Amino acid sequence: MKPMKSMFRSTARDKGVPSLNMASMPDLIFTVLFFFMIVTHMRSDEVKVRLQVPQAKEVQKLANRPSVVNVYVGQLDGKWQVQVNGSIVRPEDLSARISQIRQSMAPENAEHLTVSFRADRKAPMRIISQVKRALQRSYALRINYSATELKE
């Protein structure tokens, strides 16, 4: 009769641990990277003016659609400036710039043109009024005023 110990000998020592195949790992990493690059929204315009947006109690997020035009009022080199999307414009040229942007849009987007208006909390009312009159002249009547949420 054989000894009991030899009958139940483990064979795991003989085979070793199987190796993990890492050949498809770079493909997986690049697939995930491309996925996040496609679904992540990149900011299309660089804010050149310096502004501190006012705070509000009730804030809703504006969906970033192709029909949204960003208008910023802030300081640049110590002077109050108006920026439309990525370029600085004079308040008197704003209505022409909005009309130009509307013409470059697809007709369904131009019909739903929305202005996202972000002004510094200390901006003079004179510039705010000039911007609002220019938007009225260009028939950009759908305006959303941007603010940050008030922390209580």
Side-chain angles (χ1 to χ4, degrees):
M1 183 159 193
K2 288 186 176 179
M4 193 68 110
K5 194 174 186 182
S6 65
M7 284 178 45
F8 296 106
R9 184 184 304 175
S10 174
T11 58
R13 285 181 284 174
D14 300 338
K15 293 185 178 180
V17 178
S19 64
L20 185 61
N21 186 3
M22 299 291 282
S24 64
M25 187 62 79
D27 293 336
L28 179 66
I29 290 172
F30 283 117
T31 303
V32 171
L33 177 68
F34 286 132
F35 171 76
F36 284 115
M37 286 174 54
I38 290 171
V39 299
T40 303
H41 171 70
M42 298 293 186
R43 183 175 215 149
S44 61
D45 54 324
E46 175 188 349
V47 181
K48 297 175 185 174
V49 295
R50 198 181 64 208
L51 61 122
Q52 188 176 11
V53 181
Q55 294 181 332
K57 289 183 181 179
E58 293 185 29
V59 179
Q60 292 179 346
K61 187 169 175 74
L62 175 66
N64 196 1
R65 300 180 307 229
S67 61
V68 175
V69 176
N70 295 311
V71 175
Y72 306 97
V73 175
Q75 286 192 341
L76 181 66
D77 299 330
K79 294 177 8 183
W80 291 101
Q81 300 286 339
V82 178
Q83 178 181 343
V84 177
N85 288 344
S87 60
I88 303 290
V89 297
R90 296 186 335 216
E92 49 274 1
D93 297 335
L94 181 60
S95 62
R97 179 74 176 121
I98 294 292
S99 298
Q100 179 185 14
I101 290 172
R102 178 179 275 148
Q103 289 174 355
S104 67
M105 288 181 171
E108 59 271 3
N109 291 337
E111 184 179 320
H112 299 290
L113 177 77
T114 304
V115 175
S116 176
F117 189 59
R118 295 180 180 114
D120 189 278
R121 65 175 65 183
K122 295 181 181 177
M125 200 60 197
R126 174 183 48 85
I127 293 180
I128 304 286
S129 297
Q130 287 176 343
V131 169
K132 288 172 63 174
R133 273 185 263 134
L135 292 172
Q136 286 175 348
R137 282 193 304 271
S138 63
Y139 297 103
L141 304 177
R142 192 175 292 149
I143 302 172
N144 286 341
Y145 295 95
S146 296
T148 57
E149 192 167 3
L150 182 66
K151 308 277 186 201
E152 292 184 23

